[in-house]
Amino acid sequence: MEVYSTENEQVDAIKQFFKNYGLTIVLAAVIGFGGVFGWKYWQSHQTNRLQESAGAFATVSEALAKPTPENIALAEKFATETNDIYGALASLELAQIAIDANDLVNGERHLTNAVAKVKNDAFADMLNLRLARVQLALDKTDAALVSLEQVKGKAWNGMKNYIRGDVLAKKGDNAGATAAYRSALTDENAGAIRSLVELKLNNLSN
């Protein structure tokens, strides 16, 4: 996965990817692993349900372009009732709206809901990284560390250790923060955050 320079670009890329290809990926997985029986079962039930979710999500996402209280309520109802990738995407969009409004409490709530619904590992990793950032901003440092532990993909190691460094620094663990920042710098994907990590390392040493 390409390393994006900002967290918002990561979020937008994941959302757009699943908007474009989510149903295709799920169908391919069923065909590949379920065989004829799995395909017939999927045709009879799951495909229609997922297609309905995709269509409803498109309506919700369009409505959220104007995040009025009514549109947010519509999206929250959809996210609550939809236990699939599109429910997770709706929660992610709601989280972004809340975070942009500096409503970090609801941002955390929506991200937590999204994590609970998603089954794609790369998407779950990105959500947990974002959740950890919000929890850090809320001074929930222990919760942030737990969220970071859920990030398994090696492609995220640099960002994971960068955020871990921020969390440990806030907890007053300068030695732990220094180790985390240095680990972030050794990651092959650290380019986008390297200057920030080096600045924070310098601040810790002063």
Side-chain angles (χ1 to χ4, degrees), residues 174-175 177-178 181-182 197-206:
N174 288 350
T178 298
Y181 287 142
R182 286 176 177 166
V197 176
E198 290 174 343
L199 177 62
K200 291 185 178 185
L201 272 172
N202 289 336
N203 289 339
L204 284 175
S205 63
N206 292 333

Side-chain angles (χ1 to χ4, degrees), residues 7 129 132-137 139-142 144-145 148 158-182 184 193 195-201 203-204:
E7 196 169 283
L129 286 170
R133 279 192 177 279
V134 172
Q135 289 167 332
L136 172 60
D139 290 329
K140 296 183 176 181
T141 51
D142 290 336
L145 291 174
L148 290 173
M159 184 63 71
K160 176 180 176 179
N161 281 306
Y162 169 52
I163 299 171
R164 187 192 301 280
D166 287 350
V167 174
L168 293 175
K170 195 160 195 175
K171 287 172 69 71
D173 182 0
N174 288 350
T178 298
Y181 287 142
R182 286 176 177 166
I193 58 173
S195 60
L196 289 173
V197 176
E198 290 174 343
L199 177 62
K200 291 185 178 185
L201 272 172
N203 289 339
L204 284 175

